[in-house]
Amino acid sequence: MHKTEERRAAKAAPLSDEQEQLWFMHQLRPGAPPDSERVTLTVRGDLDQEALRESLAAFIGRHEIWRTIFPS
């Protein structure tokens, strides 16, 4: 079993205080991000789309929070 699949099969972890606050805010305003930062990048020249795709996949793979869901 892959490490991510093992985590999914594991007992659900309780939410932290911060996660509970974010969940509550989402219940009040669904679809409106209660806590976010926006970044705009200007890329000059050709964009290597495959390299971008791979780097984002690697980032998500290293940071579990980007793969985390909180079902109601």
Side-chain angles (χ1 to χ4, degrees), residues 47-57:
L47 175 64
D48 184 339
Q49 292 182 9
E50 186 59 29
L52 177 60
R53 189 174 297 115
E54 289 174 8
S55 64
L56 289 173

Side-chain angles (χ1 to χ4, degrees):
M1 185 180 291
H2 188 268
K3 189 183 284 188
T4 302
E5 292 169 343
E6 290 175 6
R7 287 186 189 125
R8 284 188 196 133
K11 182 179 175 184
L15 297 178
S16 69
D17 291 341
E18 293 81 9
Q19 290 169 329
E20 284 186 16
Q21 290 173 9
L22 289 173
W23 177 85
F24 179 75
M25 293 303 293
H26 178 72
Q27 300 309 303
L28 293 176
R29 296 181 58 203
D35 186 25
S36 64
E37 290 186 32
R38 297 181 184 172
V39 175
T40 302
L41 300 174
T42 301
V43 178
R44 300 193 190 282
D46 295 335
L47 175 64
D48 184 339
Q49 292 182 9
E50 186 59 29
L52 177 60
R53 189 174 297 115
E54 289 174 8
S55 64
L56 289 173
F59 177 83
I60 291 169
R62 282 194 306 271
H63 300 281
E64 186 173 6
I65 191 64
W66 289 98
R67 301 183 309 275
T68 303
I69 59 171
F70 302 102
S72 295

